[in-house]
């Protein structure tokens, strides 16, 4: 029987709760997962039941503990990563939620953001929080719930109501109501946290009439965050790591130095670049966010997302019918040497960072008599790489830092041709780790550092293993030519 110490990492995501047991080599020993029920009360609204989130999470935790040889004694620490921004309000005395959890995607609070804009306050919010005001972030969700219920506001003012993002809610439940905390990465996504001063912004709380009494205490991402109550899992276990999902993925990619960045290639893409100890303001409406506070040092990141990347491949499958499944795009694209002068801008729902044109539409240019489905497939992959390049270039310019290398994960990162194109178009190496479950791995790393399973970040970096490194191979002149073609196509896709 093994008695190796393990870390229990919880990934409470939008669509599921997952639990992974991780050993001191960063390897996954066991895993369990269960879906979360989504609630759509009205068009554009997305809610979840916080009670259900806790029950599902506890169930998957117990599942892996029950079948663990040696049992709970082997768990050295708990790490948590979570869907960010999703907002839970609960009764401080009973621990019961007082409203449905408003999920980050929900647009139900958009009016409050419009009001911030109308009042000319948007720039102030960005200056303090690093965020471009949006209904995604927790602030408008809390304000909306309080605005609709006078009694609730009075109770919140009296200190009877707690606010938390999902990390905070899970820690509250794991400690049986003893600890009301959130970590700095999650706090920095509420749109209420002053990311440079490292404290809740009294000014913004007052602006939205949110009582400070309901906010959690803010803690570092790694270290002694809380200890689970014995009544919950049968034994007290230290919770020593916590971070929002994207920051956790950045940590799970061991992007510890300024200029190291990660890109998650899923339905859309999420890019984060570590920018060091100073918060950089973006000129391209990218988000400035706290990456983490570890070992007493706060480090920052720039964040940008792209709406349509993997979903452009889905469109080749479902809209055009030129492939039967997403993975076939690679072979089809490889059957031609280049795009034959075709460029595809997949602005299927407008263009985001750094172009910001909501009315832009998908555009294919350069079609000739010789163009085939293979050229379109290749142009689609090139578009995914080009859009990522556009965001990374904006980050380099905002941060005045050169991209060192790009680390990749997500479903479409399995596509070798796409990864090679990305390296070619960036002119820097693209590195794919062996373990692409970087989100939950980040939570395990943070918890393991906090519990001294790893002595320091260098140890973590050593346990992070490379699957494949893609070096740039094309000549500068060829890169330039392709970029010119792409930029011309982007101009044509814009609504003008
Ligand atoms: P999400 O987490 O956003 O649901 P995943 O990380 O599971 O997404 O990735 C799925 C996306 O990646 C889909 O949009 C799919 O079209 C795309 N995809 C999957 N495999 C490939 C591939 N080999 N080449 C390009 N795109 C792919």
């Amino acid at each position: 029987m093994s008695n190796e110490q393990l870390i229990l990492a919880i990934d409470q995501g939008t669509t599921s709760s997952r639990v992974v047991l991780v050993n001191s080599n960063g390897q996954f020993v066991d895993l369990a997962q269960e879906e979360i029920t989504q609630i759509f009360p009205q068009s554009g609204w997305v809610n979840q039941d916080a009670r259900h989130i806790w029950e599902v999470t506890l169930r998957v935790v117990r599942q892996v503990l029950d079948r663990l040889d040696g049992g709970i004694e082997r768990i050295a620490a708990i790490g948590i990563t979570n869907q960010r921004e999703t907002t839970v309000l609960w009764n401080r005395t009973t621990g019961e939620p007082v409203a449905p959890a408003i999920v980050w995607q929900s647009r139900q609070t958009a009016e409050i953001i419009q009001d911030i804009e109308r009042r000319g306050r948007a720039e102030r919010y960005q200056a303090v929080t690093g965020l471009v005001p949006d209904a995604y972030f927790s602030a408008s969700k809390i304000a909306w719930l309080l605005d609709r219920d006078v009694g609730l506001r009075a109770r919140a003012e009296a200190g009877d109501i707690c606010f938390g993002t999902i990390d905070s809610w899970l820690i509250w439940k794991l400690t049986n109501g003893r600890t009301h905390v959130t970590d700095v990465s999650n706090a920095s996504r509420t749109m209420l946290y002053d990311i440079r001063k490292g404290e809740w912004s009294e000014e913004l709380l007052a602006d939205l009439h949110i009582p400070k009494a309901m906010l959690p205490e803010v803690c570092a991402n790694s270290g002694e965050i809380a200890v689970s109550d014995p009544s919950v899992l049968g034994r007290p276990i230290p919770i020593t790591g916590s971070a929002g999902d994207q920051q956790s993925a950045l940590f799970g990619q061991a992007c510890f130095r300024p200029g190291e960045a990660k890109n998650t290639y899923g339905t859309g893409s999420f890019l984060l670049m570590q920018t060091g100890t100073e918060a950089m303001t973006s000129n391209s409406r990218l988000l400035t966010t706290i990456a983490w506070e570890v070992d007493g040092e706060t480090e920052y990141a720039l964040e940008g997302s792209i709406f349509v990347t993997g979903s452009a491949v889905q469109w080749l499958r479902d809209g055009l019918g030129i492939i039967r499944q997403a993975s076939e795009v690679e072979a089809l694209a490889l059957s031609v040497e280049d795009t034959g002068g075709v460029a595809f801008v997949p602005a299927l729902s407008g263009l985001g960072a750094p172009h910001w044109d909501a009315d832009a539409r998908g555009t294919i240019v350069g079609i000739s008599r010789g163009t085939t489905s293979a050229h379109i497939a290749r142009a689609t992959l090139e578009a995914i790489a080009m859009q990522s390049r556009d965001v990374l270039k904006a980050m380099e310019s905002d941060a005045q830092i050169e991209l060192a290398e790009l680390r990749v994960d997500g479903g479409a990162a399995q596509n070798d041709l796409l990864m090679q194109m990305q390296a070619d178009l960036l002119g820097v190496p693209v590195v794919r780790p062996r373990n692409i479950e970087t989100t939950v791995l980040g939570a395990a790393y943070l918890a393991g550092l906090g519990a001294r399973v790893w002595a320091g970040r260098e140890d973590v970096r050593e346990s992070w293993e490379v699957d494949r490194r893609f070096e740039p191979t094309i000549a500068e002149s060829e890169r330039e030519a392709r970029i010119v073609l792409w930029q011309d196509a982007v101009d044509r896709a814009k609504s003008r």
Side-chain angles (χ1 to χ4, degrees):
M1 191 179 89
S2 166
N3 55 9
E4 184 190 28
Q5 290 291 291
L6 301 170
I7 294 155
L8 187 141
I10 301 172
D11 177 1
Q12 204 307 301
T14 314
T15 54
S16 74
S17 286
R18 300 176 64 208
V19 169
V20 179
L21 292 180
V22 184
N23 69 15
S24 58
N25 296 320
Q27 288 157 339
F28 290 8
V29 175
D30 195 11
L31 184 152
Q33 178 164 2
E34 196 180 316
E35 267 187 40
I36 296 291
T37 306
Q38 316 286 323
I39 306 163
F40 305 106
Q42 288 188 34
S43 156
W45 294 31
V46 188
N47 292 173
Q48 290 176 357
D49 177 358
R51 240 178 261 109
H52 167 73
I53 292 175
W54 167 242
E55 284 161 10
V56 168
T57 306
L58 185 60
R59 197 152 51 225
V60 281
V61 167
R62 288 197 172 138
Q63 216 173 319
V64 295
L65 289 178
D66 283 349
R67 63 189 180 212
L68 175 63
D69 200 9
I72 193 170
E73 299 294 324
R74 290 181 56 199
I75 305 300
I78 297 176
I80 298 173
T81 180
N82 60 288
Q83 51 169 316
R84 300 179 302 177
E85 298 125 11
T86 297
T87 295
V88 186
L89 301 190
W90 68 91
N91 180 313
R92 193 182 293 279
T93 313
T94 64
E96 286 298 307
V98 296
I102 305 183
V103 177
W104 58 274
Q105 295 152 318
S106 187
R107 308 310 297 167
Q108 74 198 74
T109 64
E111 256 180 38
I112 292 178
I113 300 302
Q114 285 156 12
D115 186 55
I116 288 172
E117 285 162 355
R118 251 195 314 270
R119 290 188 288 117
R121 301 281 295 159
E123 280 184 14
R124 187 65 196 142
Y125 274 84
Q126 191 184 0
V128 174
T129 68
L131 306 173
V132 178
D134 195 283
Y136 280 137
F137 309 115
S138 317
S140 68
K141 302 182 194 294
I142 307 171
W144 188 91
L145 288 167
L146 297 179
D147 286 351
R148 258 150 204 77
D149 187 337
V150 183
L152 187 64
R153 182 184 298 283
R155 285 157 68 203
E157 274 162 6
D160 295 338
I161 302 294
C162 296
F163 151 75
T165 40
I166 298 296
D167 56 308
S168 189
W169 169 242
L170 293 182
I171 292 171
W172 173 273
K173 293 307 256 184
L174 282 166
T175 60
N176 204 14
R178 275 186 292 110
T179 311
H180 186 208
V181 291
T182 190
D183 67 81
V184 281
S185 74
N186 274 296
S188 80
R189 313 298 296 192
T190 57
M191 211 171 86
L192 295 170
Y193 195 69
D194 188 322
I195 59 167
R196 289 179 181 81
K197 289 188 186 153
E199 60 189 31
W200 295 116
S201 165
E202 305 273 358
E203 174 193 345
L204 301 184
L205 287 169
D207 192 60
L208 290 174
H209 311 290
I210 296 175
K212 197 175 178 190
M214 66 194 301
L215 301 183
E217 192 186 318
V218 183
C219 64
N221 295 89
S222 182
E224 288 168 20
I225 295 171
V227 178
S228 78
D229 191 84
S231 67
V232 183
L233 299 174
R235 221 200 94 193
I237 303 178
I239 302 167
T240 55
S242 178
D245 53 12
Q246 292 304 318
Q247 285 95 335
S248 187
L250 190 68
F251 204 84
Q253 285 278 23
C255 291
F256 299 152
R257 298 188 192 117
E260 291 181 339
K262 73 96 191 169
N263 192 4
T264 303
Y265 298 84
T267 317
S269 286
F270 282 98
L271 288 120
L272 267 84
M273 183 196 266
Q274 220 267 43
T275 61
T277 52
E278 208 181 316
M280 300 295 186
T281 302
S282 175
N283 298 314
S284 325
R285 292 176 64 199
L286 296 172
L287 306 178
T288 310
T289 198
I290 295 180
W292 45 69
E293 183 191 330
V294 173
D295 294 332
E297 194 146 73
T298 302
E299 285 167 313
Y300 295 86
L302 283 167
E303 175 172 328
S305 46
I306 307 169
F307 308 139
V308 177
T309 56
S311 56
V313 175
Q314 289 169 7
W315 180 71
L316 298 184
R317 183 193 63 196
D318 307 333
L320 291 187
I322 62 174
I323 49 175
R324 276 166 305 166
Q325 56 189 45
S327 57
E328 286 177 10
V329 71
E330 186 169 4
L332 181 59
L334 274 170
S335 70
V336 288
E337 281 197 352
D338 53 40
T339 69
V342 173
F344 172 25
V345 184
L348 308 182
S349 48
L351 277 174
H355 308 291
W356 298 112
D357 184 344
D359 298 320
R361 280 299 168 264
T363 303
I364 301 177
V365 303
I367 299 173
S368 68
R369 185 68 185 79
T371 300
T372 67
S373 57
H375 295 110
I376 307 282
R378 202 166 173 112
T380 305
L381 296 182
E382 197 162 282
I384 295 174
M386 282 290 188
Q387 292 186 95
S388 303
R389 181 186 176 279
D390 286 347
V391 172
L392 287 162
K393 286 287 152 194
M395 287 178 172
E396 283 185 317
S397 136
D398 287 339
Q400 297 292 308
I401 298 175
E402 270 186 38
L403 177 69
E405 63 177 36
L406 181 67
R407 299 185 172 175
V408 299
D409 51 60
Q414 291 310 316
N415 186 321
D416 290 346
L417 175 63
L418 172 61
M419 295 301 104
Q420 186 58 51
M421 284 176 167
Q422 189 70 80
D424 286 343
L425 293 172
L426 285 171
V428 302
V430 166
V431 183
R432 186 171 63 204
R434 187 161 290 171
N435 184 350
I436 60 166
E437 300 283 351
T438 56
T439 305
V440 73
L441 188 60
Y445 282 161
L446 287 163
L449 279 174
R452 298 287 157 205
V453 171
W454 290 289
R457 283 195 242 182
E458 281 317 306
D459 282 9
V460 169
R461 195 187 276 278
E462 262 171 46
S463 93
W464 184 84
E465 280 181 90
V466 173
D467 164 44
R468 191 161 161 194
R469 200 179 159 85
F470 299 85
E471 298 286 345
T473 51
I474 61 173
E476 186 67 41
S477 55
E478 190 186 341
R479 179 181 310 136
E480 287 305 320
R482 289 208 221 163
I483 291 166
V484 167
L485 182 66
W486 165 253
Q487 284 170 344
D488 174 60
V490 168
D491 284 341
R492 299 204 218 184
K494 285 185 177 169
S495 60
R496 277 162 231 283

